[in-house]
Amino acid sequence: MAYIKEWKERIQSVIVGNDESIELCLIALVARGHVLLEDFPGTGKTTMAKTIAKTISGTFSRIQFTSDTLPTDVTGLEIFNQKTSSFQIRTGPIFANVVLIDEVNRATPRTQSALLEAMEEKQVTIAGEELTLPEPFFVIATQNPIESVGTFPLPEAQLDRFLICINNGYPSMEEEQIMLNRFKNNEPLQEVVPYISAETVREWQMSARDVHIHPDIEQYLLTLIHETRNHPSVKIGASPRASLALLRACQARAFLYGRKFITPDDIQVLATPVLAHRLLLTIEGEMNGTGKDIISQILEKISVPAEEWL
């Protein structure tokens, strides 16, 4: 059974177009990863994140990052209770099933770093005490282009925590007309009802881990990863975390499409959104293209496994 079709339809009652972006977000969620939505202001990044969150009947929080946002505004802090004459921990908005971090690159690097432990280890440390985050835990962060005024580029370590990076782009004229008519007299976001419970998401996350990968497909994936490290235009290639991220994403895609095995198509579809933002190019490489171009070149170069793996 393909689980993804009805889920996407629920989201597309609000979001016009962006079929691929919606699918990537759902794949990231089932893969226990996180998503970075990167585009210019006004292209629907926040609306998409809110709509996806509303289709899940778990807890939701939104954090607006600004230049004066502190790490404790995200994770929480220890406060002194005068009534009990003792210190107590007050958890922050990061403690939710779905967390929307709006304009993540407007916060200072110090505040951005507060997300590292939460996104990787599903926990935060407050006053020396390790606190586990709720399951499932899914971060959707939006980001304006680095060239925008008042932004701080995300460091490589932070970018590597995002399973998938998505660029929506501007809608077509037809899609924009549909959007205008849809929102002209209504607020479709308010009418969205949950499609899936947080517990079911957790079950799907566990089931996706059982999706099989044939040794030939695994070798295809590893060849792709290692080619990023040997490409002349790449200074720092995909890390071992990236190879595991691509595997998890492929497992999630196969599961959502009702398959029990990974195909080369899964890898080809997910390679760019999972790997491109993790590559650090040389100066010459940046002049000649982007991480997306590098991934496309490598996919064209390496051989695709024969269908004997079926």
Side-chain angles (χ1 to χ4, degrees):
M1 175 183 179
Y3 299 101
I4 199 168
K5 184 175 183 294
E6 187 176 346
W7 199 353
K8 285 201 298 185
E9 288 175 351
R10 191 71 57 90
I11 297 168
Q12 288 171 329
S13 66
V14 177
I15 303 299
V16 180
N18 291 316
D19 182 79
E20 181 182 349
S21 298
I22 294 170
E23 180 173 313
L24 289 172
C25 286
L26 301 185
I27 288 171
L29 173 57
V30 174
R32 299 190 72 197
H34 310 287
V35 171
L36 177 63
L37 296 175
E38 183 179 35
D39 225 319
F40 294 101
T43 52
K45 301 185 299 296
T46 303
T47 301
M48 178 182 289
K50 284 184 175 180
T51 305
I52 292 171
K54 289 198 71 173
T55 64
I56 305 167
S57 61
T59 55
F60 169 75
S61 69
R62 179 182 184 276
I63 311 173
Q64 179 65 56
F65 269 19
T66 61
S67 59
D68 59 353
T69 302
L70 299 175
T72 53
D73 295 329
V74 178
T75 60
L77 71 166
E78 187 181 48
I79 62 174
F80 183 75
N81 189 324
Q82 293 184 339
K83 292 182 179 180
T84 62
S85 297
S86 62
F87 285 95
Q88 296 179 345
I89 291 178
R90 177 178 294 174
T91 57
I94 197 72
F95 285 83
N97 294 122
V98 180
V99 180
L100 166 60
I101 300 177
D102 216 2
E103 299 188 277
V104 64
N105 60 332
R106 291 203 177 275
T108 62
R110 179 169 175 242
T111 301
Q112 292 175 8
S113 297
L115 299 171
L116 294 176
E117 182 184 15
M119 294 174 65
E120 180 65 19
E121 302 176 36
K122 307 296 190 296
Q123 68 174 36
V124 297
T125 303
I126 302 176
E129 182 176 348
E130 296 178 353
L131 303 176
T132 303
L133 294 167
E135 289 282 358
F137 175 67
F138 181 47
V139 172
I140 307 178
T142 69
Q143 172 175 267
N144 292 324
I146 300 301
E147 292 77 14
S148 295
V149 175
T151 60
F152 299 85
L154 293 179
E156 286 76 16
Q158 182 68 63
L159 284 172
D160 204 35
R161 295 312 199 271
F162 288 101
L163 179 77
I164 286 175
C165 181
I166 301 172
N167 301 93
N168 288 329
Y170 289 111
S172 66
M173 185 177 295
E174 293 77 12
E175 290 173 340
E176 196 159 1
Q177 184 177 27
I178 295 172
M179 184 272 293
L180 289 176
N181 291 329
R182 183 174 293 179
F183 282 83
K184 183 166 52 180
N185 299 316
N186 300 297
E187 287 294 337
L189 183 60
Q190 296 179 0
E191 300 174 4
V192 176
V193 295
Y195 167 73
I196 187 173
S197 68
E199 181 57 34
T200 301
V201 171
R202 180 62 180 147
E203 292 174 1
W204 286 8
Q205 289 176 336
M206 298 300 292
S207 297
R209 296 291 175 93
D210 295 328
V211 171
H212 175 68
I213 180 168
H214 189 277
D216 291 348
I217 307 297
E218 183 177 70
Q219 190 61 44
Y220 180 56
L221 184 151
L222 289 171
T223 300
L224 169 62
I225 294 294
H226 281 259
E227 284 295 324
T228 67
R229 301 170 188 170
N230 300 323
H231 197 283
S233 296
V234 178
K235 184 178 181 180
I236 300 178
S239 66
R241 180 189 285 125
S243 61
L244 181 59
L246 183 55
L247 171 62
R248 296 300 189 210
C250 289
Q251 287 179 313
R253 185 176 190 268
F255 173 80
L256 286 171
Y257 274 94
R259 286 185 277 108
K260 297 182 179 179
F261 54 89
I262 293 173
T263 68
D265 185 61
D266 292 323
I267 296 174
Q268 292 163 4
V269 168
L270 293 169
T272 297
V274 172
L275 300 179
H277 65 285
R278 304 170 190 266
L279 304 183
L280 183 61
L281 306 187
T282 62
I283 296 177
E284 294 79 7
E286 290 179 348
M287 295 174 62
N288 297 325
T290 64
K292 294 181 179 180
D293 299 324
I294 301 298
I295 299 299
S296 297
Q297 293 171 17
I298 295 174
L299 286 174
E300 291 178 1
K301 172 184 175 182
I302 61 178
S303 59
V304 181
E307 294 188 2
E308 297 176 356
W309 48 266
L310 285 174

mmCIF file of all heavy atoms in Angstrom, residues 267-284:
data_model
loop_
_atom_site.group_PDB
_atom_site.id
_atom_site.type_symbol
_atom_site.label_atom_id
_atom_site.label_comp_id
_atom_site.label_asym_id
_atom_site.label_seq_id
_atom_site.Cartn_x
_atom_site.Cartn_y
_atom_site.Cartn_z
ATOM 1 N N ILE A 267 17.519 6.153 -5.024
ATOM 2 C CA ILE A 267 18.803 6.835 -4.834
ATOM 3 C C ILE A 267 18.925 8.028 -5.777
ATOM 4 O O ILE A 267 19.362 9.115 -5.378
ATOM 5 C CB ILE A 267 19.970 5.851 -5.046
ATOM 6 C CG1 ILE A 267 19.929 4.764 -3.970
ATOM 7 C CG2 ILE A 267 21.314 6.578 -5.029
ATOM 8 C CD1 ILE A 267 20.950 3.663 -4.155
ATOM 9 N N GLN A 268 18.516 7.846 -7.022
ATOM 10 C CA GLN A 268 18.626 8.924 -8.006
ATOM 11 C C GLN A 268 17.729 10.105 -7.653
ATOM 12 O O GLN A 268 18.116 11.263 -7.835
ATOM 13 C CB GLN A 268 18.286 8.373 -9.388
ATOM 14 C CG GLN A 268 19.310 7.382 -9.906
ATOM 15 C CD GLN A 268 18.786 6.537 -11.058
ATOM 16 O OE1 GLN A 268 17.663 6.732 -11.535
ATOM 17 N NE2 GLN A 268 19.592 5.588 -11.519
ATOM 18 N N VAL A 269 16.546 9.833 -7.144
ATOM 19 C CA VAL A 269 15.615 10.902 -6.776
ATOM 20 C C VAL A 269 16.106 11.667 -5.547
ATOM 21 O O VAL A 269 15.976 12.891 -5.466
ATOM 22 C CB VAL A 269 14.206 10.321 -6.516
ATOM 23 C CG1 VAL A 269 13.307 11.346 -5.847
ATOM 24 C CG2 VAL A 269 13.581 9.844 -7.817
ATOM 25 N N LEU A 270 16.692 10.953 -4.591
ATOM 26 C CA LEU A 270 17.033 11.556 -3.310
ATOM 27 C C LEU A 270 18.477 12.040 -3.201
ATOM 28 O O LEU A 270 18.817 12.749 -2.261
ATOM 29 C CB LEU A 270 16.752 10.553 -2.189
ATOM 30 C CG LEU A 270 15.273 10.216 -1.976
ATOM 31 C CD1 LEU A 270 15.120 9.028 -1.037
ATOM 32 C CD2 LEU A 270 14.523 11.415 -1.431
ATOM 33 N N ALA A 271 19.319 11.665 -4.132
ATOM 34 C CA ALA A 271 20.743 12.003 -4.032
ATOM 35 C C ALA A 271 20.973 13.503 -3.910
ATOM 36 O O ALA A 271 21.717 13.962 -3.029
ATOM 37 C CB ALA A 271 21.495 11.442 -5.238
ATOM 38 N N THR A 272 20.339 14.287 -4.762
ATOM 39 C CA THR A 272 20.565 15.737 -4.742
ATOM 40 C C THR A 272 20.026 16.404 -3.482
ATOM 41 O O THR A 272 20.773 17.123 -2.804
ATOM 42 C CB THR A 272 19.960 16.394 -5.996
ATOM 43 O OG1 THR A 272 20.630 15.882 -7.153
ATOM 44 C CG2 THR A 272 20.122 17.903 -5.943
ATOM 45 N N PRO A 273 18.762 16.194 -3.094
ATOM 46 C CA PRO A 273 18.275 16.868 -1.874
ATOM 47 C C PRO A 273 18.950 16.398 -0.598
ATOM 48 O O PRO A 273 18.994 17.142 0.383
ATOM 49 C CB PRO A 273 16.775 16.543 -1.855
ATOM 50 C CG PRO A 273 16.609 15.364 -2.740
ATOM 51 C CD PRO A 273 17.667 15.484 -3.779
ATOM 52 N N VAL A 274 19.518 15.183 -0.594
ATOM 53 C CA VAL A 274 20.174 14.678 0.615
ATOM 54 C C VAL A 274 21.649 15.064 0.654
ATOM 55 O O VAL A 274 22.189 15.343 1.733
ATOM 56 C CB VAL A 274 20.030 13.138 0.712
ATOM 57 C CG1 VAL A 274 20.868 12.587 1.864
ATOM 58 C CG2 VAL A 274 18.563 12.752 0.910
ATOM 59 N N LEU A 275 22.301 15.124 -0.490
ATOM 60 C CA LEU A 275 23.759 15.281 -0.499
ATOM 61 C C LEU A 275 24.259 16.670 -0.901
ATOM 62 O O LEU A 275 25.301 17.108 -0.416
ATOM 63 C CB LEU A 275 24.378 14.250 -1.453
ATOM 64 C CG LEU A 275 24.123 12.774 -1.144
ATOM 65 C CD1 LEU A 275 24.792 11.903 -2.209
ATOM 66 C CD2 LEU A 275 24.630 12.405 0.243
ATOM 67 N N ALA A 276 23.551 17.357 -1.786
ATOM 68 C CA ALA A 276 24.108 18.580 -2.389
ATOM 69 C C ALA A 276 24.487 19.637 -1.356
ATOM 70 O O ALA A 276 25.532 20.283 -1.469
ATOM 71 C CB ALA A 276 23.116 19.161 -3.401
ATOM 72 N N HIS A 277 23.648 19.830 -0.323
ATOM 73 C CA HIS A 277 23.923 20.891 0.652
ATOM 74 C C HIS A 277 25.064 20.530 1.602
ATOM 75 O O HIS A 277 25.526 21.376 2.359
ATOM 76 C CB HIS A 277 22.663 21.208 1.464
ATOM 77 C CG HIS A 277 22.181 20.082 2.327
ATOM 78 N ND1 HIS A 277 21.538 18.974 1.822
ATOM 79 C CD2 HIS A 277 22.240 19.882 3.669
ATOM 80 C CE1 HIS A 277 21.219 18.158 2.808
ATOM 81 N NE2 HIS A 277 21.637 18.684 3.942
ATOM 82 N N ARG A 278 25.520 19.286 1.549
ATOM 83 C CA ARG A 278 26.607 18.846 2.429
ATOM 84 C C ARG A 278 27.978 19.008 1.798
ATOM 85 O O ARG A 278 28.996 18.862 2.493
ATOM 86 C CB ARG A 278 26.411 17.366 2.802
ATOM 87 C CG ARG A 278 25.070 17.055 3.454
ATOM 88 C CD ARG A 278 24.861 15.552 3.557
ATOM 89 N NE ARG A 278 23.506 15.199 3.952
ATOM 90 C CZ ARG A 278 23.108 14.966 5.188
ATOM 91 N NH1 ARG A 278 23.979 15.041 6.182
ATOM 92 N NH2 ARG A 278 21.855 14.652 5.457
ATOM 93 N N LEU A 279 28.023 19.273 0.509
ATOM 94 C CA LEU A 279 29.298 19.366 -0.187
ATOM 95 C C LEU A 279 29.904 20.761 -0.037
ATOM 96 O O LEU A 279 29.211 21.769 -0.169
ATOM 97 C CB LEU A 279 29.119 19.055 -1.680
ATOM 98 C CG LEU A 279 28.488 17.706 -2.045
ATOM 99 C CD1 LEU A 279 28.467 17.539 -3.563
ATOM 100 C CD2 LEU A 279 29.221 16.547 -1.382
ATOM 101 N N LEU A 280 31.175 20.800 0.248
ATOM 102 C CA LEU A 280 31.912 22.057 0.296
ATOM 103 C C LEU A 280 32.811 22.099 -0.930
ATOM 104 O O LEU A 280 33.730 21.284 -1.065
ATOM 105 C CB LEU A 280 32.743 22.150 1.581
ATOM 106 C CG LEU A 280 33.514 23.455 1.800
ATOM 107 C CD1 LEU A 280 32.559 24.640 1.877
ATOM 108 C CD2 LEU A 280 34.358 23.378 3.068
ATOM 109 N N LEU A 281 32.538 23.018 -1.836
ATOM 110 C CA LEU A 281 33.249 23.062 -3.102
ATOM 111 C C LEU A 281 34.530 23.892 -3.005
ATOM 112 O O LEU A 281 34.658 24.750 -2.138
ATOM 113 C CB LEU A 281 32.344 23.646 -4.198
ATOM 114 C CG LEU A 281 30.980 22.993 -4.406
ATOM 115 C CD1 LEU A 281 30.309 23.583 -5.644
ATOM 116 C CD2 LEU A 281 31.091 21.483 -4.520
ATOM 117 N N THR A 282 35.436 23.628 -3.910
ATOM 118 C CA THR A 282 36.632 24.447 -4.030
ATOM 119 C C THR A 282 36.241 25.788 -4.653
ATOM 120 O O THR A 282 35.117 25.964 -5.145
ATOM 121 C CB THR A 282 37.671 23.759 -4.925
ATOM 122 O OG1 THR A 282 37.121 23.602 -6.245
ATOM 123 C CG2 THR A 282 38.048 22.387 -4.369
ATOM 124 N N ILE A 283 37.167 26.734 -4.648
ATOM 125 C CA ILE A 283 36.881 28.035 -5.249
ATOM 126 C C ILE A 283 36.564 27.871 -6.728
ATOM 127 O O ILE A 283 35.617 28.470 -7.261
ATOM 128 C CB ILE A 283 38.080 28.984 -5.056
ATOM 129 C CG1 ILE A 283 38.299 29.265 -3.561
ATOM 130 C CG2 ILE A 283 37.857 30.287 -5.815
ATOM 131 C CD1 ILE A 283 39.500 30.119 -3.261
ATOM 132 N N GLU A 284 37.345 27.034 -7.401
ATOM 133 C CA GLU A 284 37.099 26.787 -8.817
ATOM 134 C C GLU A 284 35.747 26.098 -9.018
ATOM 135 O O GLU A 284 35.023 26.385 -9.974
ATOM 136 C CB GLU A 284 38.213 25.928 -9.417
ATOM 137 C CG GLU A 284 39.584 26.597 -9.471
ATOM 138 C CD GLU A 284 40.290 26.575 -8.117
ATOM 139 O OE1 GLU A 284 39.775 25.919 -7.182
ATOM 140 O OE2 GLU A 284 41.352 27.216 -7.996
#
